[in-house]
Amino acid sequence: MSPSGGRADERRRWQALGVGLVAAFMTLLDVSIVNVAVPSIDRALGATPSDLQWVLSGYALTFGLVLVPAGRFGDARGRRTAFVVGIALFTLTSALAGLAQSPGWLVAARLLQGVAAGIVNPQVTGLIQELFRGPERGRPFGLLGATIGISTAIGPLLGGLLIQAGGEQDGWRWVFFVNVPVGIVAIVLGWRLLPAQPAGAAQGRRLDPVGVLLLGVGVVLVLLPLVQREQWHSPWKWLLVPAGLAVLAAFGLWERRYARRGAPLFDLRLFGFRSYALGSLIALLYFGGFTAIFFVLTLYLQNGLGYRPLVAGLAITPFALGSAAASALGGRIVNRYGRPLVATGLLVVLLGLGAVVFVLRGDPRGSVPLLMAVPLLVAGLGSGLVITPNQTLTLAQVPVPQAGSAAGMLQTGQRIGSAAGIAAVGSVLFSALAGSGGDWSPAVRHALLLAMGIISLGLFAALFDRWHARGEGRRAG
C-alpha cells in the first residue's frame, strides 16, 4: 500500500468516527434536553403528569430495550446498515415529535425515537473496536467519553437556549427539530464512510429470536416500575423488578444453552473477562449516581429556586466543560495507568459532589449557580476520568465480532443504572420535601448524599480490582 493510500485510509476512519460521535451526541442529548422543555410542553399540549412522565422516561425505556439486539445485528450483518437505518428513524421521529399536536402523538414519537437511539449507539462503540486496535483505541474512546459527558450535562443548557430562541409557546418543538438537519447529514456521510461489513461477521447468521424476547421482557419488567415510579402509586409495582430479574436469569440460561449450537444474542463468556465484568458493574453504579445528579439539580434550580431553563442549564455547564477536558486526557493515559485512573476519577467526583453539598448548606438562594460552579467543574473533571477509561478497559478484551453486542449490554446496564438511580434519589428528594414542608435545600443535600453513596460503591469495585490485581501479581512473583 502506498503512503498516500495509508493516509487516505487513516483519514477515512477518523471521518467515520466523527460521524459516529455526532450521532451518539444527538441520541444521548435527547435523554436530558427534554427535561427543561416539560413546562412548555405542558402548556402547549395540555399534557397530564402521566403523559409528561412518558415523554421523559419512555425514551429511556425503549432506548435500553433494543441496545443488545441492535448491537448483535450490527456484529452479524454490518454496522453501516444498522447505523443508517437507526439515524434515519431517529431523524424521522424527531420531526414527528416536533410536529406533535397531542400528548399521545408526542409519547408515541418519543418511544420510537428511543428505539432509534438504541439501534445507533452500539454501532458507534462497535465501530471503534473495528477500526482501531489495542492501545490506539484510547483516543477514540476518549472522544466518545467526552461526547457522553457533554451530551448528558449540556442538555439543559441547549434546551434552554432553543426554548428561548423559539419562544415560550413553540420553542419546545425546536428541541426536536434541531436533530433533523444534523440527522440528514449523518445519514449521507454514514453511508459513504462507515465500513459495510465488519471483519469476521457472518452473513445469514441467525439472530436468536428467543434470546431477544427474553432479554426484552426482562429489561421492560425491570425498567417499567423505575420510570413510572411517580405515576404508579401502588407498592405492588415493585414486584415487577424481581419478576424481571427472574426473566433475565432465564435469558442467561437460554444463552448458555444456545451457545452450544449457534451464536447467541450475547455470549455470557464475556463476563469471564474480569475487565468486562468489573467494568460493567462500575458503569452501572456510576451512571446510577451520575445521571441522578442532573435530575436533582435541574429540579432544584427550576422548581425550587425559580430559575429560567437557560440559567439552570448554564449552572450545570461547568460539569460538562470539566468532563470534556478530562475525557480527552483520560483516553490518552488510560493504557498507562489502567483501573487506578478510574478509581482516581471516582474519588474526584465524590470530592466535587461533597463540595456541592457543603455550599448548599443554609439555603443560599441568590448565589447557588455561582457557588456550585467550581465544585461541579471538579466533579466533571473526575467524571471524564471515569467514563472514558472505564469503557476502554471494559471492552479491551472483547473480540471484534462481538463488539456490538458487548457494547449494547454495557449500555443496557448504564440505562438500568440511570433509571434505578433516578428512582432512588428522586424518592429521597420528594420524601424529604414532603417531610420538610417544601424546603428544597436540605432535600437536595439528602438526595445528593445518596447519589454519592451509589458512586462510592463504584469506587469500592474499582479498588477491589486494584487489590485483586496486586494479589495476583504477588502470587505470580
Side-chain angles (χ1 to χ4, degrees), residues 388-403:
T388 294
N390 187 64
Q391 186 158 261
T392 304
L393 296 168
T394 302
L395 298 174
Q397 295 178 288
V398 173
V400 171
Q402 296 171 298

Side-chain angles (χ1 to χ4, degrees), residues 254-475:
W254 169 261
E255 292 300 283
R256 188 180 296 276
R257 177 184 176 187
Y258 192 87
R260 298 176 189 149
R261 56 188 177 89
L265 176 66
F266 177 79
D267 192 340
L268 295 175
R269 289 174 294 186
L270 290 175
F271 286 119
F273 297 120
R274 194 176 78 213
S275 61
Y276 186 79
L278 191 76
S280 297
L281 175 62
I282 291 172
L284 183 147
L285 292 169
Y286 182 64
F287 273 77
F290 159 71
T291 313
I293 295 165
F294 305 108
F295 170 74
V296 169
L297 291 181
T298 301
L299 283 177
Y300 176 46
L301 290 166
Q302 291 191 73
N303 295 358
L305 301 182
Y307 285 109
R308 296 174 64 85
L310 179 57
V311 177
L314 282 169
I316 301 173
T317 301
F319 189 102
L321 296 176
S323 180
S327 291
L329 174 64
R332 292 179 181 274
I333 64 177
V334 61
N335 294 306
R336 185 188 313 169
Y337 295 105
R339 194 74 70 183
L341 183 64
V342 177
T344 300
L346 289 164
L347 182 59
V348 173
V349 171
L350 290 171
L351 290 173
L353 292 180
V356 172
V357 173
F358 179 77
V359 301
L360 292 183
R361 73 196 189 287
D363 200 14
R365 291 181 176 272
S367 53
V368 165
L370 289 176
L371 289 172
M372 292 195 309
V374 173
L376 285 178
L377 176 64
V378 172
L381 290 169
S383 185
L385 298 179
V386 175
I387 296 175
T388 294
N390 187 64
Q391 186 158 261
T392 304
L393 296 168
T394 302
L395 298 174
Q397 295 178 288
V398 173
V400 171
Q402 296 171 298
S405 57
M409 186 62 77
L410 176 63
Q411 292 184 43
T412 299
Q414 292 172 358
R415 301 277 73 79
I416 291 174
S418 296
I422 289 174
V425 174
S427 295
V428 168
L429 176 70
F430 296 128
S431 296
L433 279 173
S436 64
D439 190 348
W440 276 86
S441 187
V444 168
R445 292 200 302 273
H446 293 155
L448 290 177
L449 286 172
L450 177 58
M452 291 173 64
I454 297 170
I455 294 171
S456 296
L457 295 176
L459 175 59
F460 292 145
L463 292 174
F464 170 80
D465 181 58
R466 180 60 176 165
W467 173 79
H468 193 275
R470 283 183 174 177
E472 286 185 340
R474 284 194 297 268
R475 288 192 294 272

Side-chain angles (χ1 to χ4, degrees), residues 13 126-138 140 199 400:
R13 71 173 181 167
L127 185 70
I128 294 175
Q129 295 284 93
E130 181 182 343
L131 295 180
F132 300 88
R133 293 288 184 269
E136 68 176 359
R137 288 174 180 162
V400 171

